[in-house]
Amino acid sequence: MSSEQTSKESLCPGCQAEEPLVLPCGHRLCQSCLQLCQRELGEDGAQPGCTVCYGRELLDSVLKGLLDSLFQGQPRRAGAGAEGGADGHGEGEEKADLCPEHAECLSLFCTEDEELICEECRRDIHLDHECCPTTEAAQDCRRELRSALRPLQQKLETLNSAKRACQETADHIRRQAQHSVRLIKEDFEKLHQFLRDEETAVLLALKEEEEQKSQKMKDKMERLVRDIASLQDIINTTEETMSSDDLMFLKNYKKTSESTECTVQDPKEVSESLIDVAKHVGCLKYRVWEKMQTVVQFSPVTFDPNTADVSLTVSDDLTSVRYTDEEQQIPDNPERFCYYDCVLGSEGFNSGQHDWEVEVGDSNDWALGVAKETVSRKEWFPPSPDRGMWTICLHGGEYRACTSTSSPLRLKKKPQRVRVQLDWDRGRLTFSDASDNTLLYKFKHKFTERMYPYFSSTCKRQPLQILPGKVSIYVE
């Protein structure tokens, strides 16, 4: 260090007095300057003031005010101009709580403009605005946000529930597809096996006829070969005799003449000696299809499992439904009934005549009929034509027509099979005992909507079974 620099450091920067005191900040001041700083800066003596540090702080404050006014409203880079520790927090963060206009504490909140202000801002710009302390404003704002969040949280829960329902529906769709694939393959395998058996039987019958008629031809050919050989021997013997001398010829003439009298019968033409091709090939597909009816049944109505209540189980062939206490884990889709233990048919009718028979057997609680397509499926109501249901039922040991008056039915005997006949065009729905055609009840109504077969059961011991229909073929 040079002597000139050493001499400068030994002088007070204020009054240039020699032998200044070294302050904690590292700067040097003489005793008189130090006392002057304490009076001017308001120091209490616990921490000696420094004109150098004060000047720097004053300069920084002026520069900050100029920069804030110059760049007011402009975006700032995070941490720009901040001084502090290694974590980036310090004096700059504390100054962020000050009003950028007046460098005063932001102690108020303008509820009209929704912004933090200082006392000077309130007197200047927000004089006519409603303002409150920041603590009170924070509580009010938090309360408002909680109220605003409540419907959002409810909406979020609704969306999450819908998402879970969609996932459950997607899983059910996958299970439905897998189950349907298995059933389809089983049914086609039965059909394939039936066709293979029929093919084997038809080919076997053809082979048997071929062998039978081939054997007849073989036997006939063997007889012809024997007859040909016998005639050839006679001809050869006769020719030899004729070629001998006269004495020998005459000697053997009688015997030779007798042998020529042994005539062979002419071969007979055998009818139906060829294979009856028409018997085996003619209308083969039709004959197989006709025979297939003995193993394939036609159901005039099948159940729609997507409409069945969770307490009903539909059979794989969709023709039988059983009540159970255990609720199935299936989607609550719009088509499904919730408050009725019922299921609809898979096909609706909006014209024509239709009928189907249901075996109720010894069931002690059932209902049959039709329901309109728009019938309510998510609420309970007394079933009646006014609500879109035309049904009769057995409940509590009593047969009733489900009308507004719930008319009791006087039946002579308990029906085991009930026939339902819908004449949509004429507006008639008839119920009868399928065993003797005894009329049970008849509805009359002008139908205007598509009607679906309706089935309900709460009897665990006896399912409802749709009986197969008879197929008639008319040839034009």
Side-chain angles (χ1 to χ4, degrees), residues 41 43 87 114 120 273 456:
L41 301 178
E43 300 289 348
D87 58 354
E114 296 184 345
E120 187 66 26
S273 59
S456 177

Side-chain angles (χ1 to χ4, degrees), residues 76-92:
R76 306 286 186 89
R77 289 184 299 172
E83 295 179 3
D87 58 354
H89 299 284
E91 185 180 355

Side-chain angles (χ1 to χ4, degrees), residues 8 59 87 96 151 194 196 231 247 259 280 368 378 382 451:
K8 287 182 179 181
L59 180 61
D87 58 354
F194 173 82
R196 286 193 292 268
L231 288 176
L247 185 61
S259 63
H280 301 285
L368 300 175
K378 303 301 181 183
M451 309 303 294

Side-chain angles (χ1 to χ4, degrees), residues 200-258:
T200 301
V202 172
L203 293 176
L204 180 61
L206 175 61
K207 185 175 181 60
E208 289 178 350
E209 184 177 357
E210 177 192 8
E211 292 177 349
Q212 179 183 6
K213 293 188 174 180
S214 296
Q215 185 63 43
K216 288 182 179 180
M217 291 298 103
K218 182 179 179 181
D219 294 342
K220 184 176 181 180
M221 288 180 63
E222 290 178 352
R223 287 194 300 271
L224 290 174
V225 169
R226 289 195 299 270
D227 291 343
I228 291 173
S230 176
L231 288 176
Q232 189 65 48
D233 290 341
I234 293 173
I235 292 172
N236 292 337
T237 302
T238 303
E239 289 179 347
E240 290 178 359
T241 302
M242 291 173 62
S243 62
S244 61
D245 54 25
D246 294 342
L247 185 61
M248 183 61 66
F249 169 74
L250 294 173
K251 184 178 181 180
N252 297 322
Y253 171 76
K254 182 178 181 180
K255 182 178 179 181
T256 302
S257 177
E258 290 177 356

Side-chain angles (χ1 to χ4, degrees), residues 72 99-102 104 108 110 113 115 117-129 131:
Q72 185 175 6
C99 175
E101 290 287 338
H102 308 101
E104 292 187 11
L108 299 174
C110 177
D113 294 336
E115 63 179 3
I117 62 174
C118 65
E119 289 290 348
E120 187 66 26
C121 291
R122 182 178 186 180
R123 291 190 294 270
D124 186 11
I125 304 175
H126 303 269
L127 182 62
D128 298 331
H129 296 176
C131 302

Side-chain angles (χ1 to χ4, degrees), residues 149-193:
L149 278 177
R150 198 168 294 117
L152 295 179
Q153 291 170 343
Q154 294 174 353
K155 178 65 70 174
L156 178 62
E157 180 60 29
T158 301
L159 294 178
N160 285 329
S161 299
K163 179 183 176 183
R164 289 192 295 270
C166 286
Q167 184 60 50
E168 293 172 358
T169 302
D171 295 339
H172 187 69
I173 291 172
R174 185 181 66 255
R175 291 192 296 269
Q176 276 186 315
Q178 293 173 349
H179 183 65
S180 299
V181 167
R182 181 178 62 81
L183 295 179
I184 291 172
K185 288 186 176 180
E186 289 178 357
D187 285 344
F188 271 100
E189 178 56 32
K190 292 177 182 177
L191 294 176
H192 293 159
Q193 186 60 47

